[in-house]
Structures are given as C-alpha cells and as structure tokens.
Amino acid sequence: TPVLEVEGLVKHYRGRAGTGTVRAVNGVDLSIGRGEILGLVGESGSGKSTIGRCVARLTAPTAGRVRLLGQDISAMSRRELRPLRRDVHVVFQDAYSSLNPRTKIGDIVAGPLRQHREGDVRERRGRAAEMLERVGLPARTATRYPHELSGGQRQRVALARALVMRPRLVVADEPVSALDVSVQASILNLLLDLRSDLGFSCLFITHDLSVVEFVGDRIAVMYLGGIVETATRQELFAHP
Ligand code: ADP
Ligand code: ADP
C-alpha cells in the first residue's frame, strides 16, 4: 500500500466579508509510494501548500480522502490524529520563522521527541546530536540559537527536527526557495542522501521547475487548484 493516498481532495476557504469562497483545491488525486519523492510544482496560488497542509492535517479538507499508511485522516479528531503525527512532518520555506528563536538548536531538534514523550532527557539529547551529525552540522551547533546560523544551516536544522522521529512522510513546502542557488543544491543533495539512508517518502512542493527536476522521482503539475499532469522525471524532462 502507498504511504500516502489522496482522493478527490477539495479545500475551500471562506473569503473575507463579501469576497465569497476561495476554491484553493478542487478534486485532487495523488499517491506516494514507499521511499518515493513526489514533486508538486505549479505557480504561486495554484494550491500546492493547501494540499501539503491537508496531507499533514494542519488543516482539515472540505471534502475527499487523505489516507496516511492506509488510515483515512481527513476527518480525524485531534485525539485520533496524535499517534499519526509521528509519521508525518512538515518542513517550511522559512526555517527562521518556524524555529523558536529563544530555543537552543539541540532542544529544537529534540522537540518532537519531547512532544511524543520519547525517552528521557539524556536519550533525547543523544538522538538530537545524532541527527545534527546526519545533516552535516558540528556537534557544538546544539548549543547555538537559530539567529547564529546561516539560512542553509537553519534548513539543515529543520530537516534534523523533521526526521528525528523517523516519520514515514515528509512534506517539504518550498524548503529551498529562500536560499541562494549554491546553497539550494547542497540542501537538495542532503535531502536525497537522507532519503536513501532513512527511507522516508516525501511530498516536495516548489514553484521551481529546475528544483523539481532535481529531486522529483515523479512530478505532478498543478494549475488553478487541480493537477493537470503527472509524469516521471524522465517523461517530463526528456532532453532529446
Ligand atoms: P500555492 O502553495 O500554490 O502558492 P496556496 O495553497 O498557498 O497555493 O493557495 C491557494 C489559494 O488559496 C490562493 O488563492 C490563496 O490565496 C488561497 N489561500 C491559501 N490559504 C488561505 C487561507 N488561509 N484563507 C483564505 N485563502 C487562502
Ligand atoms: P500544540 O497545539 O500541541 O501546542 P502546535 O500548535 O505546534 O502544537 O501543533 C499542532 C499539531 O501539529 C501538533 O500535534 C504537532 O505535533 C503538529 N505539528 C506542529 N508542527 C508540525 C510540523 N512542522 N509538521 C507536522 N506536524 C506538526
């Protein structure tokens, strides 16, 4: 069974007074296999982030099904969702705004372990240190604060935090879009290495065709709230 299966996903937002409904996603189907990276590409406003937020159940869909590891999470309550939160984590574009500025990097990375009551302080510290090493940061980074790091280093921290629970699915929403092109390549290579080592699946959201060509095993193209094409990287980017 696929790690993620989305069927007929619809998400409408209530607009501001008098502006009517925003039809952000209008009936999307997609699936992601074990260890696969699905690139979701499309212009700004086409509904990519909304799909990511529904898949991680940071928001509830208006209609349709989202099956994570075979379980339909689309209408689950907070309580029912709690165990499944171990299996999906989101990495956002701007690590600076999603990393608490007053928390040391080691505690940021260990955060999901604390939230899910895994191990004691010592064990959590050890697992955070191991993740920092895996993402290529020196051990002393654990005692630093987010503002002391570069954008690329912060995105490495965001990846370490996302993976510390060993989730089955990572939703990466424009994870390199705020970085210089040379730094982008190092983060994308890191993501591919980590995927090989740890075997997670990934929904990779980007507006950038060259980024999706680099990381996507399969690619879904979005336009106005719908997927207009799905293809393998080879099919989509065949250079004759
Ligand atoms: P993308 O990620 O492709 O840029 P989004 O999913 O962020 O697209 O947005 C899709 C549409 O939904 C856009 O028109 C956007 O303005 C609208 N939208 C996104 N979030 C909200 C929200 N919380 N409330 C109202 N409209 C929203
Ligand atoms: P809480 O409401 O428990 O204080 P948050 O508001 O930070 O926590 O998050 C709400 C839920 O979303 C939590 O269950 C948390 O596990 C989950 N969550 C928070 N951040 C992420 C993320 N980046 N990826 C996936 N799930 C997240």
Side-chain angles (χ1 to χ4, degrees), residues 56-58 78 81-82 85-86 88-92 98 115-116 161-162 171:
R57 266 306 306 268
L58 303 180
R78 280 181 82 95
L81 281 166
R82 205 169 294 145
R85 297 240 180 254
R86 296 169 164 269
V88 55
H89 203 102
V90 189
V91 177
F92 296 99
S98 56
Q115 200 165 16
H116 292 281
R161 176 180 160 87
V171 176

Side-chain angles (χ1 to χ4, degrees), residues 225-240:
I227 288 177
V228 292
E229 182 171 7
T230 305
T232 63
R233 175 179 38 216
Q234 290 78 5
E235 288 163 353
L236 205 61
F237 295 101
H239 301 294

Side-chain angles (χ1 to χ4, degrees), residues 44-125:
S44 172
S46 58
K48 307 180 297 296
S49 286
T50 298
I51 291 178
R53 287 161 46 76
C54 288
V55 161
R57 266 306 306 268
L58 303 180
T59 189
T62 305
R65 264 188 278 284
V66 175
R67 269 191 290 272
L68 181 66
L69 304 169
Q71 290 194 69
D72 185 357
I73 64 168
S74 54
M76 279 187 179
S77 66
R78 280 181 82 95
R79 186 192 193 85
E80 292 171 306
L81 281 166
R82 205 169 294 145
L84 281 158
R85 297 240 180 254
R86 296 169 164 269
D87 291 307
V88 55
H89 203 102
V90 189
V91 177
F92 296 99
Q93 168 169 358
D94 182 5
Y96 197 51
S97 63
S98 56
L99 305 181
N100 186 335
R102 278 185 270 279
T103 306
K104 284 183 185 156
I105 299 300
D107 294 327
I108 286 174
V109 173
L113 298 172
R114 204 167 47 241
Q115 200 165 16
H116 292 281
R117 298 188 175 29
E118 294 263 310
D120 56 17
V121 177
R122 231 180 107 88
E123 188 192 331
R124 292 197 289 261
R125 220 168 259 165

